[in-house]
């Protein structure tokens, strides 16, 4: 069993447990101070133990993107789950009602077609399912496009068997979100449909959520670990980053470059701000190094601006661009404090794309 970083096979995902706890407490304190319900998104860590810790610290429940993640989290003891994804298709609807038979589940819908599927499945299972209307307040992914359409869909949901209209849902919180939500809430009030929950999310804008008082619930995922993206967005510093990839230098034949054993299968190939020039990771101890190119198992690191090069065999810690995507590549994570490995845990909900 690994006892220290030196014992780990690389590439290895390492999680600094003290930083995790500090990040979780900071967000919980913010939400408690502003009377916001915190419903963390587990898509970042995918670990039932961290979901339970989030709830222990004060979260009202958790958010999962996919049914597979939710099934793993329910097995791991989470009993209040928001599925932040439109559930479509006979087999998925059956999985949803099976899940709703054992834990509290809230679903989202952005069309009558989705709502009808939920209604039929819930009725068949003899359940009443809470449903939030998903509104597109500027991101242009899922969501009804206007506040008027949100009110119309809420009315349809409220009239469908097996469903209870529970409020509004959007992602992320953008400059236009406040006026969009205010209009929708006004329409809902006029229609006699109170929105119990108004759920929004995203780590970049999380600590400004109180400026949109219409929001009652915050969904954040990345805040637990942070990454190069959240540093660049100005919402985290290097000391707030809790998850890194331990890699080994496997080749150093050129004075200007070294090769690490952590390619796209270890760091994920997501770019920072869609700009390949910004590289694929920060290397601790080598601030001027640029991870220029990723192959599946190789990272090509440009060392031109570095005063010294690591030797073959040296281990380095790499901070990925997008930590959620990187975590999804690992079967297990090493929970660490300093150089000590406390535990190696399976990432139980990794790869749950269905
Ligand atoms: C629907 C939804 N809610 C919340 C989040 C959490 O966002 P973040 O990881 O920026 O905190 C995401 C992230 O992808 C999301 O898709």
């Amino acid at each position: 069993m690994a006892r220290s970083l030196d014992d780990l096979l690389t590439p290895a995902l390492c999680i600094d447990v003290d930083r995790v706890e500090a990040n979780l407490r900071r967000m919980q304190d913010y939400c408690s101070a502003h009377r916001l319900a915190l419903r963390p998104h587990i898509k970042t860590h995918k670990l039932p133990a961290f979901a339970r810790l989030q709830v222990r610290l004060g979260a009202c429940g958790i958010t999962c993107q996919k049914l597979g993640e939710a099934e793993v989290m329910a097995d791991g003891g989470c009993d209040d789950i928001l599925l932040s994804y439109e559930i479509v298709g006979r087999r998925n609807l059956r999985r949803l009602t099976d899940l709703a038979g054992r834990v509290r589940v809230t679903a989202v819908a952005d069309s009558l077609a989705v709502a009808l599927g939920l209604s039929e499945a819930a009725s068949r299972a003899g359940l009443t399912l809470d449903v939030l209307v998903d509104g597109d307040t500027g991101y242009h992914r899922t969501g009804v496009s206007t506040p008027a359409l949100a009110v119309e869909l809420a009315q349809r949901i409220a009239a469908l068997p097996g469903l209870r209209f529970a409020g509004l849902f959007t992602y992320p919180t953008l400059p236009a979100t406040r006026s969009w939500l205010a209009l929708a809430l006004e329409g809902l009030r006029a229609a006699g449909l109170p929105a119990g929950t108004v759920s929004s999310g995203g780590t970049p804008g999380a600590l400004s959520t109180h400026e949109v008082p219409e929001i009652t619930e915050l969904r954040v995922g990345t805040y637990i670990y942070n990454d190069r993206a959240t540093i660049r967005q100005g919402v985290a510093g290097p000391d707030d980053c809790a998850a890194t990839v331990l890699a080994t230098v496997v080749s150093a034949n050129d004075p200007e470059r070294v090769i690490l054993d952590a390619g796209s299968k270890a760091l994920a190939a997501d770019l920072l701000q869609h700009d390949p020039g910004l590289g694929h990771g920060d290397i601790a101890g080598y601030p001027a190094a640029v991870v220029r190119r990723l192959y599946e198992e190789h990272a090509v690191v440009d060392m031109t601006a570095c005063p010294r090069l690591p030797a073959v065999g040296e281990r380095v810690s790499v901070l990925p661009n997008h930590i959620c995507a990187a975590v999804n590549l690992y079967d297990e994570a090493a929970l660490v404090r300093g150089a000590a490995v406390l535990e190696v845990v399976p990432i139980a909900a990794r790869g749950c794309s269905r």
Side-chain angles (χ1 to χ4, degrees):
M1 206 195 71
R3 299 228 163 140
S4 82
L5 294 182
D6 291 342
D7 300 327
L8 294 173
L9 295 173
T10 63
L13 180 70
C14 299
I15 312 288
D16 181 317
V17 290
D18 294 329
R19 289 184 180 185
V20 162
E21 190 162 336
N23 291 340
L24 296 189
R25 285 190 188 280
R26 193 178 313 121
M27 194 61 75
Q28 186 60 59
D29 288 349
Y30 168 78
C31 287
S32 303
H34 293 283
R35 293 169 187 261
L36 269 167
L38 176 59
R39 188 179 278 282
H41 210 310
I42 61 80
K43 73 193 289 289
T44 306
H45 57 72
K46 305 172 194 295
L47 289 170
F50 281 175
R52 290 193 300 270
L53 175 61
Q54 287 168 315
V55 170
R56 242 186 352 265
L57 292 175
C60 66
I62 61 165
T63 310
C64 297
Q65 206 86 310
K66 291 306 194 83
L67 275 161
E69 293 175 338
E71 288 159 352
V72 170
M73 292 296 149
D75 291 344
C78 298
D79 61 4
D80 188 337
I81 301 177
L82 166 62
L83 269 165
S84 57
Y85 203 89
E86 272 69 18
I87 302 298
V88 171
R90 180 179 50 82
R91 284 178 64 189
N92 281 337
L93 287 162
R94 178 66 201 266
R95 289 168 75 197
L96 176 71
T97 52
D98 284 352
L99 187 68
R102 54 193 187 113
V103 299
R104 178 167 182 249
V105 173
T106 304
V108 299
D110 70 350
S111 68
L112 185 58
V114 170
L116 283 172
L118 294 173
S119 168
E120 279 164 26
S123 302
R124 204 176 318 116
L127 299 164
T128 302
L129 203 55
D130 278 350
V131 181
L132 303 176
V133 169
D134 179 1
D136 176 6
T137 63
Y139 196 49
H140 306 325
R141 195 169 68 177
T142 60
V144 295
S145 53
T146 67
L149 287 171
V151 177
E152 200 180 304
L153 183 56
Q155 287 172 311
R156 300 298 295 262
I157 287 170
L160 282 171
L163 303 189
R164 195 178 78 85
F165 168 68
L168 299 174
F169 169 99
T170 192
Y171 173 80
T173 309
L174 293 170
T177 300
R178 182 165 188 198
S179 55
W180 201 108
L181 290 175
L183 275 175
L185 289 171
E186 200 181 298
L188 288 168
R189 266 192 302 274
L193 285 175
T197 296
V198 180
S199 180
S200 188
T203 294
L207 299 181
S208 307
T209 307
H210 62 285
E211 292 167 14
V212 185
E214 289 77 9
I215 297 172
T216 66
E217 177 181 278
L218 177 63
R219 306 183 316 274
V220 272
T222 308
Y223 81 109
I224 186 170
Y225 293 157
N226 288 302
D227 54 19
R228 278 185 97 212
T230 57
I231 291 181
R232 197 143 185 111
Q233 287 150 353
V235 296
D239 292 346
D240 303 318
C241 292
T244 49
V245 170
L246 187 68
T248 303
V249 176
V250 292
S251 177
N253 286 324
D254 187 302
E256 297 195 339
R257 97 182 116 76
V258 297
I259 309 299
L260 304 180
D261 63 353
S264 61
K265 283 160 71 180
L267 296 174
D270 299 40
L271 297 177
L272 210 51
Q273 297 176 332
H274 310 288
D275 182 354
L278 295 173
H280 293 278
D282 284 335
I283 303 183
Y286 298 91
V290 181
V291 183
R292 272 288 167 232
R293 291 197 315 276
L294 295 181
Y295 298 89
E296 282 170 81
E297 290 88 9
H298 300 82
V300 178
V301 187
D302 180 346
M303 303 297 290
T304 321
C306 299
R308 77 179 175 91
L309 262 65
V312 169
E314 184 173 325
R315 290 175 160 217
V316 292
S317 175
V318 187
L319 177 66
N321 286 349
H322 182 195
I323 198 63
C324 312
V327 167
N328 196 46
L329 300 168
Y330 290 86
D331 290 329
E332 56 188 29
L335 306 186
V336 307
R337 176 171 285 131
V341 174
L342 308 178
E343 200 182 345
V344 175
V345 292
I347 303 182
R350 148 249 208 297
C352 292
S353 57
R354 293 171 175 169

